[in-house]
Amino acid sequence: MVQAERCGVKTFDICPRACLLGRLGMKSFYITTAIDYVNGAPHLGHAYEKVLTDVVARFRRQMGDRVHFLTGADEHGQKVQASARKQGIPAQEYVDKTSAEFRALYDRLEVSYDDFIRTTEPRHKKVVRDVLQQLFDKGEIYQAEYRGFYSTRQEQFLQEKDRLPDGSWPEIFGEVTDIVEKNYFFRLKKYQDWLIEYLQSHEDFIFPRYRQKQVLEFLKEPLNDLCISRPKERLEWGIPLPFDESYVTYVWFDALLNYYSAVVDKGLWPADYNVIGKDILVPPHAVYWPIMLHACGLPPPKGLLVHGWWLQSGAKMSKSTGEAVNPLALVDQFGVDAFRYFLIREMNVGQDSEFTVEQFLVRYNSELANNLGNLVNRTLNMTTRFAGGVVPAVETKQELEQELATLWAKTRDEVVVLSEGFQFHTALERTMSFVTATNAYIEKRAPWKLGKSSEAADQALLRTSLATMAEALRLAVAAMQHVTPATTEKINAVLGYTPGSIWRDELNWGAKLAGAKVAPSLVLFPRPATK
Ligand code: ME8
């Protein structure tokens, strides 16, 4: 094992795990979400990001990668300190409670994370302090006096150029105060040219690509060095600087390092993707983060996957708007998979989407209850009624069956390619079109009519149609497995089917269900009781 000393923490250039995975031909895939500020209740926007990352993680696992999926909580900083004080409880007690609430939501949503990091954990604090000390020793951090304006809400120093034309401060900064104080600064400016060069030579660093152009646009203005300290008299709730304990670490410098601190001993850096919302791309993830890593002698993440916002009446859904959608209310009424399906089907990754209950109901009713639910019901009912509950073998393949199989081959190839490119909404659309085509096939074959005939050819066609619809259903839910894992499992169970371990093989049309004993019925997506 070769160890390299970087930023005061041991990193592993070659670790035994990586070697083993390499020998097994498995690609390691490390993916992270943003870590939420736990200063309020989680809303649909937080849930979306974790479900989206989960869909990517599950898809990569299905494709055979060895996935490490990290999520967690951002527990330091002004906002958390203020919320704890408002409740009159110690900050640690406050974050223990709220962090658990976020984590419980992600468990409920079947987010298959491998690790949940909290920035108040010793393992994280140690790495942050080690990194700071190393950067300080290398002269990358220096002390200077700062005079200027400070936004408490954004926990950030402002400049004259941030003012509106009438001289006032934009609403997003909240109260802005004049301050003079000594602080510690990280030499961001020094790396501006390196970052521009890096972005120009790594065109795929940010998904969607057009966001990379926005970062380059931002970098046309000169960068200032980054103030990475807050005096303890103003903010206590943070990680003390190792070289001056009268200060705590700026919350972003602390939080960004979670992606690294969580895997420092696992040999997994760099991450394949940091998944984040567009509000935290510039400057934290696209500017501070790659420069912090570079100054430490570490590579940037291989990519940033940047999603858009869930909007309500055209504005970003947020903790402070008061009317943010509570994910649990939807999950309680419609089930986890209906919720996951809606989020992924509705949002084109990278763009914004307006959330309305009406649109949720449209997708729920037309795609899940009517289309997929109908196929499940028909398959189970007719197999029970006409074949004693046992899926028959195909006996005769005619044009209709051939057409459906051809459509499947195209759908399957598209689903894989689209999912690889994060176009999950289109992949689901194609899968649903295949379900629609299967329902149309059933209409045309009309097994209920064939069932009335005693002709041998009709009986053969009846058995073929039952086998075809069951196989089509099995394939459709295999294609949705990373989005609706529990539904796929339930449908496989009522089809009397246990899938094999290689997902790609499960997508091939075959006779996997012949002889399987199906359940008589399954209620998957019941009609909502109220609107
Ligand atoms: O920014 N739609 O935490 P956070 C979609 N702690 N995504 C949304 C959203 C919405 N309406 N509202 C928020 C932070 N998000 C920092 C991150 S990472 C080192 C530190 C997303 O709780 C948001 O874009 O404000 C971000 O990616 C995540 O939720 C956490 O937001």
Side-chain angles (χ1 to χ4, degrees):
M1 189 195 309
V2 178
Q3 289 185 4
E5 187 82 28
R6 292 190 183 119
C7 279
V9 283
K10 295 239 182 307
T11 55
F12 299 87
D13 279 341
I14 305 164
C15 86
R17 188 170 168 276
C19 295
L20 182 68
L21 293 179
R23 279 204 300 275
L24 292 173
M26 275 174 120
K27 192 177 143 300
S28 139
F29 185 85
Y30 172 35
I31 191 163
T32 67
T33 70
I35 49 172
D36 305 321
Y37 286 129
V38 289
N39 64 323
H43 59 65
L44 187 105
H46 298 113
Y48 169 70
E49 179 176 283
K50 309 320 176 267
V51 169
L52 169 66
T53 313
D54 183 58
V55 168
V56 179
R58 285 178 187 266
F59 175 71
R60 297 294 352 155
R61 283 189 202 110
Q62 286 168 195
M63 295 293 282
D65 290 354
R66 175 72 188 250
V67 172
H68 187 75
F69 174 7
L70 174 74
T71 188
D74 191 352
E75 301 191 345
H76 289 128
Q78 195 90 38
K79 292 180 204 180
V80 170
Q81 179 172 292
S83 299
R85 285 199 177 146
K86 222 164 138 189
Q87 292 200 4
I89 54 173
Q92 187 63 54
E93 191 181 325
Y94 176 79
V95 294
D96 285 349
K97 192 174 63 149
T98 48
S99 225
E101 211 184 304
F102 277 78
R103 189 170 179 161
L105 171 66
Y106 302 144
D107 289 338
R108 179 88 197 274
L109 294 177
E110 312 240 6
V111 175
S112 62
Y113 58 84
D114 297 294
D115 189 6
F116 189 98
I117 191 160
R118 300 177 58 190
T119 53
T120 53
E121 283 177 72
R123 61 168 170 157
H124 173 71
K125 291 195 228 173
K126 180 183 181 318
V127 172
V128 172
R129 283 167 64 90
D130 285 350
V131 166
L132 283 164
Q133 187 64 55
Q134 184 76 14
L135 290 174
F136 185 72
D137 293 346
K138 280 169 51 180
E140 301 284 356
I141 290 173
Y142 63 93
Q143 195 182 37
E145 187 157 88
Y146 177 84
R147 273 164 198 281
F149 312 102
Y150 185 74
S151 153
T152 309
R153 184 184 294 171
Q154 297 297 332
E155 300 185 35
Q156 138 190 4
F157 292 97
L158 305 178
Q159 295 164 30
E160 283 297 340
K161 70 172 181 359
D162 295 318
R163 286 188 197 265
L164 293 172
D166 69 359
S168 65
W169 298 104
E171 177 66 29
I172 53 154
F173 295 127
E175 191 196 349
V176 176
T177 44
D178 292 358
I179 56 167
V180 180
E181 68 185 24
K182 275 200 164 168
N183 265 309
Y184 288 90
F185 292 82
F186 169 53
R187 295 190 191 280
L188 207 64
K189 203 174 1 188
K190 172 175 154 189
Y191 293 104
Q192 178 156 5
D193 289 343
W194 168 78
L195 182 59
I196 293 171
E197 222 290 294
Y198 185 85
L199 292 172
Q200 282 168 344
S201 58
H202 294 78
E203 285 188 339
D204 289 329
F205 180 55
I206 302 173
F207 178 93
R209 261 192 184 197
Y210 65 85
R211 295 225 178 266
Q212 187 130 332
K213 297 203 181 80
Q214 293 171 355
V215 180
L216 284 165
E217 204 52 41
F218 175 86
L219 288 168
K220 283 189 176 154
E221 293 287 319
L223 288 175
N224 289 314
D225 286 345
L226 178 66
C227 179
I228 51 104
S229 62
R230 298 292 181 265
K232 269 196 184 154
E233 62 264 25
R234 195 145 55 75
L235 177 67
E236 281 167 27
W237 189 237
I239 302 175
L241 297 183
F243 42 83
D244 188 342
E245 302 264 337
S246 59
Y247 290 86
V248 298
T249 312
Y250 172 44
V251 70
W252 270 108
F253 197 94
D254 160 356
L256 286 163
L257 279 167
N258 89 88
Y259 307 131
Y260 178 63
S261 68
V263 296
V264 74
D265 54 355
K266 293 188 171 71
L268 285 173
W269 192 259
D272 287 80
Y273 282 101
N274 290 146
V275 181
I276 55 166
K278 65 177 185 179
D279 50 321
I280 57 171
L281 175 66
V282 184
H285 282 85
V287 179
Y288 304 162
W289 183 220
I291 292 181
M292 282 163 65
L293 288 161
H294 186 64
C296 286
L298 290 163
K302 291 180 206 158
L304 299 176
L305 175 52
V306 186
H307 62 79
W309 286 340
W310 284 93
L311 309 174
Q312 265 180 317
S313 311
K316 178 183 179 239
M317 194 184 290
S318 81
K319 293 186 194 101
S320 51
T321 55
E323 46 176 296
V325 177
N326 174 3
L328 288 176
L330 287 167
V331 169
D332 286 344
Q333 192 173 359
F334 298 98
V336 172
D337 275 2
F339 179 74
R340 290 174 57 107
Y341 178 85
F342 173 77
L343 294 180
I344 300 302
R345 173 72 185 90
E346 189 69 16
M347 183 89 113
N348 178 344
V349 177
Q351 293 176 14
D352 295 345
S353 268
E354 178 76 24
F355 177 84
T356 64
V357 175
E358 287 72 24
Q359 182 61 5
F360 187 96
L361 284 172
V362 166
R363 294 238 181 260
Y364 180 85
N365 285 326
S366 68
E367 297 177 20
L368 294 177
N370 292 345
N371 204 16
L372 181 62
N374 202 8
L375 178 57
V376 173
N377 289 340
R378 286 167 139 182
T379 304
L380 300 183
N381 289 346
M382 290 194 254
T383 309
T384 304
R385 205 164 125 208
F386 299 119
V390 177
V391 179
V394 168
E395 289 176 38
T396 151
K397 228 177 182 181
Q398 299 187 7
E399 208 181 318
L400 285 184
E401 285 74 22
Q402 200 49 59
E403 266 174 25
L404 197 62
T406 306
L407 176 64
W408 170 253
K410 186 166 169 281
T411 306
R412 174 199 57 197
D413 294 348
E414 284 176 346
V415 163
V416 172
V417 172
L418 288 164
S419 300
E420 279 181 324
F422 311 123
Q423 302 299 294
F424 300 111
H425 66 299
T426 314
L428 284 179
E429 189 224 319
R430 300 288 150 82
T431 305
M432 275 297 155
S433 297
F434 175 72
V435 172
T436 307
T438 307
N439 276 319
Y441 160 81
I442 297 172
E443 294 292 327
K444 285 185 212 144
R445 264 293 168 250
W448 47 90
K449 283 190 193 149
L450 296 170
K452 287 186 189 142
S453 161
S454 51
E455 293 287 322
D458 286 343
Q459 287 297 315
L461 205 48
L462 170 64
R463 287 190 288 274
T464 298
S465 69
L466 296 174
T468 303
M469 69 177 87
E471 181 65 358
L473 173 60
R474 181 192 71 74
L475 291 163
V477 298
M480 292 167 61
Q481 188 176 308
H482 40 303
V483 184
T484 55
T487 299
T488 300
E489 204 180 311
K490 274 187 211 159
I491 294 177
N492 278 330
V494 291
L495 286 175
Y497 180 65
T498 308
S501 59
I502 300 174
W503 180 71
R504 290 293 289 268
D505 291 350
E506 292 302 306
L507 299 184
N508 293 332
W509 192 297
K512 291 197 164 72
L513 292 174
K517 177 90 182 96
V518 308
S521 65
L522 170 72
V523 180
L524 263 181
F525 302 105
R527 296 235 164 264
T530 55
K531 207 174 172 224

